[in-house]
Amino acid sequence: MAFTNNIMIVRHKLLADLVRLWKDEQLIEKIDRLPLELTPKKSKHMGRCCVHKERAVWKYKSFPLMGFDMSDEHDELTPLSEYARQALKREEITKENILCVIDEACSSCIQINYEITNLCRGCVARSCYMNCPKGAVHFKKNGQATIDHDACISCGICHKSCPYHAIVYIPVPCEEACPVKAISKDEEGVEHIDESKCIYCGKCINACPFGAIFEISQTFDVLQGIRKGEKMVAIIAPSILGQFNTSIEQVYGAFKQIGFADVIEVAEGAMMTISNEAHELVEKLEEGQAFMTTSCCPSYIELVEKHVSGIRPYVSSTGSPMYYAARIAKEKHPDAKIVFVGPCVAKRKEVRRDEAVDFILTFEEIGSIFDGLGIELKEAQPFSVLHTSVREAHGFAQAGGVMGAVKAYLKDEADKINAIQVSDMSKKNIALLRAAAKTGKASAQFIEVMACEGGCITGPCTHNDIVSGRRQLLQDLAKRKDTYETMGR
């Protein structure tokens, strides 16, 4: 795994260790010792006050990996082993929330947004003082300004008015990353995620420098199901092509080694999305609709439902590739439980709305499962899927892939349709979508919308790093000969 920061290492190692204990059937017996083993008595820790704090963080980070969050703790003396016991006996998932904040880890971010640095020259103008609406700016004996943070309301007027740029804005990383203001501090100074606003883009997860934001994992629900003999079928997103440094057949073989009964590519479902969306686009334009957007990104769908409802009439009614792939899997294996595997947080929400999908695992979780079970990918017995999907269907993994696939499917008809892509659910792009919803006009007739800047290959829960993932995906796509041009429709 190409780690881009230490938070990724922590998440990967902790889940891999938990899976390793599960494999040895010692999760309940040995989990209470895991924080002590990860943080030995005389070890040194940057950013933590003491070894005991670090152990507490390890303990509570284990909660979401076992399907719990901080609200499930009613007695601090309850050991991890009790939560492990509950996780392994759980018959169904009852948690409503998809994300959670580990309060023990969310303790080091600043409580203020503006601070005056020693660049302050103690100028005569004193614009910061004169313009502060709360009188929060005062002066030291040497003339330098200082802020009374009890009175400050973080309006930023002083920051804008200082001629020396001596006043700095200090953002809270997760709050700054969230494009819809769904995360903020509670009365105790701990970040809280408002899931009535959250679009599950996942930006906050990797923005938090203390790794305090987690998804509620279903890892042990899936593994326990396999151990109990339940038939599990993995439907795997196209961006798998950029995740592991070995052949895709060996990756699928590793899934079989975990215990999955079958592997089905979501690219097969993408072909149904392409054909349905292409026909719908032509029909809508012929009816006089100004534009149509894609519908396959679940984070975008959450945005539409919660924040930009005006654009709903312009969103394609076509199902996502997962939707169609799940039904292919159910038809082939009616007695199986379907597990979607991909790089996306928002898919956890889509899975809950889809009765054909039972569980979800991310690529990040799969990487930890491989390590925890001791599966060597390059030694795995190759497994080939039966259905061959066109290159364009696998191309859904990258920004522009849906748009390109639909145009490739339409062939000559596509020349009459201009298309653009909106990738990255930033505040600026959300504003553009709001404007299109309000005016009923857009700069193109077909708009591909993706929450992640480079498409799914840069999703928040990938295993590989962004640069390597993109390169590996493009290399794999280039090898695929079956296209709409060579195969027709």
Side-chain angles (χ1 to χ4, degrees):
M1 179 176 183
F3 298 107
T4 56
N5 63 56
N6 194 56
I7 296 303
M8 296 173 70
I9 298 174
V10 169
R11 286 200 303 253
H12 174 81
K13 176 174 177 53
L14 182 54
L15 183 54
D17 284 347
L18 292 173
V19 171
R20 194 172 294 113
L21 291 177
W22 174 87
K23 179 193 72 170
D24 297 336
E25 299 192 38
Q26 295 180 324
L27 183 62
I28 296 172
E29 291 77 5
K30 291 191 174 182
I31 192 172
D32 289 320
R33 296 199 62 82
L34 187 58
L36 282 68
E37 292 172 0
L38 292 170
T39 304
K41 191 171 184 180
K42 295 183 179 180
S43 55
K44 303 293 183 182
H45 303 281
M46 294 186 295
R48 306 287 185 205
C49 59
C50 63
V51 67
H52 307 292
K53 174 73 171 182
E54 185 73 2
R55 288 172 176 175
V57 170
W58 281 118
K59 172 186 174 180
Y60 289 117
K61 284 186 176 181
S62 299
F63 273 39
L65 298 180
M66 294 190 293
F68 301 102
D69 66 14
M70 300 300 291
S71 69
D72 292 303
E73 183 183 62
H74 303 295
D75 184 349
E76 289 185 51
L77 292 177
T78 303
L80 269 177
S81 53
E82 176 56 30
Y83 296 100
R85 191 187 324 277
Q86 293 176 29
L88 299 188
K89 288 184 176 181
R90 184 168 53 219
E91 294 296 328
E92 61 178 350
I93 300 165
T94 57
K95 297 297 294 182
E96 291 295 325
N97 53 310
I98 287 172
L99 296 169
C100 71
V101 178
I102 308 301
D103 56 13
E104 286 289 343
C106 181
S107 59
S108 298
C109 277
I110 50 131
Q111 302 295 314
I112 58 176
N113 289 118
Y114 293 93
E115 188 61 274
I116 299 176
T117 70
N118 59 8
L119 293 175
C120 174
R121 311 314 297 163
C123 67
V124 176
R126 297 188 170 184
S127 300
C128 56
Y129 167 79
M130 295 298 293
N131 290 289
C132 177
K134 294 295 181 179
V137 178
H138 303 288
F139 296 91
K140 302 176 185 177
K141 290 182 179 180
N142 64 0
Q144 284 190 331
T146 182
I147 296 175
D148 176 359
H149 292 294
D150 291 330
C152 177
I153 58 172
S154 294
C155 64
I157 292 175
C158 61
H159 171 70
K160 295 175 183 175
S161 63
C162 178
Y164 291 105
H165 304 287
I167 304 175
V168 294
Y169 170 63
I170 310 171
V172 176
C174 61
E175 292 180 11
E176 186 180 40
C178 180
V180 292
K181 298 182 179 180
I183 186 166
S184 59
K185 284 185 173 64
D186 62 17
E187 61 276 5
E188 295 177 348
V190 175
E191 294 296 334
H192 169 74
I193 299 171
D194 183 350
E195 294 206 13
S196 69
K197 296 179 181 178
C198 183
I199 60 173
Y200 310 111
C201 62
K203 290 179 183 290
C204 61
I205 292 176
N206 292 318
C208 175
F210 297 97
I213 304 175
F214 274 72
E215 302 164 80
I216 307 295
S217 179
Q218 298 175 0
T219 296
F220 292 99
D221 299 277
V222 174
L223 291 177
Q224 273 296 95
I226 291 173
R227 175 171 280 173
K228 290 187 293 187
E230 295 178 9
K231 188 177 182 181
M232 298 271 186
V233 173
I235 58 172
I236 306 180
S239 44
I240 189 70
L241 299 179
Q243 300 306 309
F244 300 97
N245 188 25
T246 188
S247 72
I248 194 61
E249 289 78 17
Q250 286 183 300
V251 174
Y252 292 159
F255 274 87
K256 294 282 286 183
Q257 200 170 330
I258 290 173
F260 285 98
D262 196 7
V263 172
I264 293 173
E265 291 181 327
V266 172
E268 186 176 348
M271 292 182 68
M272 299 178 73
T273 296
I274 293 165
S275 61
N276 291 344
E277 197 149 72
H279 290 127
E280 184 181 3
L281 174 62
V282 171
E283 182 180 319
K284 294 287 187 183
L285 295 179
E286 287 177 350
E287 290 174 355
Q289 185 168 299
F291 67 94
M292 187 183 85
T293 77
T294 56
S295 58
C296 57
C297 175
S299 184
Y300 170 52
I301 297 303
E302 290 296 310
L303 178 77
V304 172
E305 294 299 319
K306 297 175 180 177
H307 300 281
V308 195
S309 59
I311 207 168
R312 192 180 292 117
Y314 302 98
V315 179
S316 168
S317 61
T318 297
S320 71
M322 184 195 80
Y323 175 88
Y324 296 114
R327 279 143 187 83
I328 292 168
K330 278 292 187 185
E331 184 175 349
K332 186 177 178 183
H333 302 282
D335 57 337
K337 290 189 175 179
I338 308 303
V339 183
F340 173 82
V341 184
C344 181
V345 176
K347 278 295 183 188
R348 293 187 186 275
K349 189 69 171 181
E350 184 183 350
V351 163
R352 292 189 180 183
R353 293 194 297 261
D354 193 334
E355 69 281 359
V357 187
D358 299 283
F359 300 106
I360 175 172
L361 292 174
T362 66
F363 293 146
E364 188 176 51
E365 288 170 334
I366 282 293
S368 295
I369 290 171
F370 288 156
D371 281 2
L373 296 181
I375 295 173
E376 295 292 338
L377 289 174
K378 293 188 177 181
E379 297 176 7
Q381 182 68 32
F383 175 80
S384 298
V385 296
L386 294 176
H387 185 275
T388 300
S389 303
V390 294
R391 179 196 299 162
E392 290 88 349
H394 292 280
F396 264 52
Q398 60 184 336
V402 183
M403 179 179 72
V406 168
K407 297 193 80 170
Y409 180 89
L410 289 173
K411 298 184 185 301
D412 294 339
E413 292 177 81
D415 294 336
K416 307 170 189 175
I417 301 170
N418 62 322
I420 60 170
Q421 53 176 293
V422 176
S423 59
D424 184 14
M425 206 58 71
S426 63
K427 294 171 185 176
K428 178 181 178 181
N429 282 336
I430 291 174
L432 289 174
L433 293 169
R434 279 203 178 97
K438 186 176 181 178
T439 63
K441 298 177 182 178
S443 57
Q445 296 165 300
F446 186 42
I447 305 174
E448 176 195 294
V449 186
M450 292 284 184
C452 299
E453 188 172 359
C456 303
I457 193 65
T458 64
C461 307
T462 53
H463 175 76
N464 207 350
D465 72 278
I466 291 174
V467 175
S468 301
R470 281 175 170 169
R471 182 174 59 247
Q472 192 171 314
L473 173 68
L474 291 173
Q475 289 172 348
D476 192 287
L477 291 177
K479 297 174 185 176
R480 295 178 180 267
K481 304 303 179 185
D482 294 327
T483 68
Y484 280 121
E485 185 177 349
T486 60
M487 295 179 66
R489 294 181 183 177

